[in-house]
Amino acid sequence: MSKARLVLAAAVASCVCCLVPAAAPAARVLVLGPGDQVHATGDPYLGALSLTPSPPAVTQRLLARRRLRATPRPTPAGVLAGLLGAGQIAPAQYARYRGDLGQAAGTLRRLRATRRDELGAVIGNLFSIAGSGRLTASRLPALFLTLERNRQWWATGPLPASGQRIEFAGSQLVWEYYPGQGIELQVLGTFGKADGLFTAGRAHYGALQQLLGEMIPLAVERAGGLAWEYYFSFDGGAPPWVSAMAQGTALEALTRGYLATGGSPHPTGGAAPSPAPTGTPGYLAIAHRALGILETPPPEGVAIPTGLGRRFLQYSFAPGASIINAFLQTLIGLHDYAQTSGDPEAAALFGAGDAEAAAEVPSFDTGAWSLYQPGLEDTLSYHQLVTGFLAQLCRRTAQPVFCVTAQRFTADETTPPALALLTGRARRRRPFVLRFRLSKSSHVGVVVIRDGVTRFATSAPFAYGVHAFAVPALSAPGAYVVRLAATDLAGNFARILGTLNLTR
């Protein structure tokens, strides 16, 4: 799952749970407004950090055409007719959704090149979901909103860069451009924005309520509760799929919405049998129903039972991927909802996850940097993200492992990388490898010198661990000076000198 570090730009806002630093710059978004005019602006309630991966690199046009050629049955139109006949949707809904299908098809015929491919990919995803039998009544609002927003954008909007965030005038929802997949609702980014609106203060509570009012109807029935899904293919996972991190952030946002409308935390934390009655209890009721995927194993849910408790997954289609920042943010959302609502079910889920996370966190510490998942170091931004999450959990739970690891990771940002030269001898006139040990991800340079003259020099990026430079044959026997230098992701620099002896 190394692709999971690539950017989809699911931007998380500067929220009460400090998903990104408060000083983070406003995220750049494109906004489609009246008269089909698009303007670029900064959304101060979105952070700039990208948390969800981009899809594998594929040619947009080939991907879109493949989906359209492979369109399965039944079709969306046929599913809509069946839902109408079963009384699961009203005639007005049926007429509206059929109209949306017709408009999208008409727009597709007028588009060319990338625009046609992107809208075609979204239509292809809708057909695929229908063909798999998963086009249920509860999914219609989110899927047909996605269809309509893509029809609008590709008919009138500019061609965005990969990962570009997009908004529409009059709406608080955050969308994201995934090349070859069109624009998709960014669940994590939208709920992160909700937290950012709460943090911004009372003057923004109306916008927070509007955002939640838009998102709640887009939740679908899944795993015995409600969930917010993603509707594009990614890394072997077919839509619709869910993320524990997005769901945990939804719990956080709903809790904030409750507090913003006059609610107060329950005085007994998780000991009460029902949500506190003040504020807007509907938000807490929705949050309670959103616990379903956190209680259910994949592929429907994101919960993996363990000997100590429970692990929460970033992706429902990837049960083997252990991504620590997603796990920790899910716990933060669960904790805050449980403490505010007094919901014992949420408190139990948090307790199970807390026990497992406390046991796992040390394995994500290399001693010099954090790991994104086992064996794969964090980028600087993810290192800072996971450090912040650990500090949050330290303040909430006082678990020593969270506190100590947060302190260690903070220190790692100012500690230079450690280098050790492991090769001391080689044969003259034969190519050889110059091995070295590196403590954390860095750009490493090597210079081999004899008699004040550089005989070999190169540089490259390396992860932590033991690595080697391939050195061409050197002719003269005797002692050579080896200079190794490393600059880590935070800009810390280290240099060592060593000796290499070339024998006959």
Side-chain angles (χ1 to χ4, degrees), residues 409-434:
F409 287 172
T410 298
D412 289 343
E413 288 190 49
T414 57
T415 302
L419 283 162
L421 179 63
L422 302 179
T423 299
R425 301 178 68 84
R427 298 290 297 275
R428 62 183 290 241
R429 295 180 177 173
R430 293 185 184 181
F432 62 94
V433 293
L434 194 70

Side-chain angles (χ1 to χ4, degrees), residues 250-428:
L251 293 176
E252 189 87 4
L254 290 163
T255 303
R256 304 303 187 233
Y258 166 75
L259 296 172
T261 54
S264 57
H266 198 284
T268 59
S274 61
T278 56
T280 302
Y283 290 143
L284 295 186
I286 294 294
H288 177 78
R289 294 187 64 196
L291 298 178
I293 66 168
L294 302 176
E295 299 173 310
T296 306
E300 279 300 291
V302 289
I304 298 286
T306 69
L308 293 174
R310 192 171 303 221
R311 177 185 302 115
F312 298 116
L313 302 172
Q314 174 72 306
Y315 308 113
S316 56
F317 58 80
S322 179
I323 300 172
I324 194 62
N325 66 55
F327 190 177
L328 299 180
Q329 167 56 14
T330 306
L331 290 179
I332 291 169
L334 268 172
H335 176 276
D336 289 2
Y337 164 63
Q339 290 296 306
T340 298
S341 67
D343 186 332
E345 190 174 337
L349 284 170
F350 171 77
D354 180 62
E356 179 62 25
E360 289 188 18
V361 159
S363 68
F364 288 84
D365 182 1
T366 68
W369 203 251
S370 62
L371 295 178
Y372 179 82
Q373 59 187 27
L376 180 65
E377 283 169 289
D378 272 322
T379 62
L380 175 60
S381 58
Y382 279 113
H383 180 82
Q384 293 168 339
L385 181 78
V386 76
T387 302
F389 287 165
L390 287 164
Q392 301 270 337
L393 286 169
C394 171
R395 290 193 291 271
R396 284 164 168 79
T397 68
Q399 279 256 38
V401 66
F402 298 147
C403 302
V404 170
T405 308
Q407 292 169 354
R408 288 172 61 91
F409 287 172
T410 298
D412 289 343
E413 288 190 49
T414 57
T415 302
L419 283 162
L421 179 63
L422 302 179
T423 299
R425 301 178 68 84
R427 298 290 297 275
R428 62 183 290 241

Side-chain angles (χ1 to χ4, degrees), residues 126-139:
L126 180 59
F127 271 75
S128 294
I129 292 170
S132 69
R134 305 197 76 178
L135 185 55
T136 59
S138 71
R139 290 191 171 104

Side-chain angles (χ1 to χ4, degrees), residues 2-9 50-57 372 382:
S2 61
K3 294 188 185 77
R5 288 177 50 182
L6 301 177
V7 294
L8 172 158
S50 305
L51 293 179
T52 308
S54 61
Y372 179 82
Y382 279 113

Side-chain angles (χ1 to χ4, degrees), residues 48 96 104 115 117 150 189 191 214 274 328 344 379-380 440 450:
R96 183 173 74 253
R115 297 176 184 277
D117 294 338
N150 275 271
F191 280 125
E214 292 184 78
S274 61
L328 299 180
T379 62
L380 175 60
K440 56 180 168 177
R450 179 176 170 86

Side-chain angles (χ1 to χ4, degrees), residues 56 67 181 230-241 315-318:
R67 287 184 180 138
Q181 304 267 353
Y230 288 90
Y231 297 109
F232 60 92
S233 297
F234 164 69
D235 202 21
W241 52 270
Y315 308 113
S316 56
F317 58 80

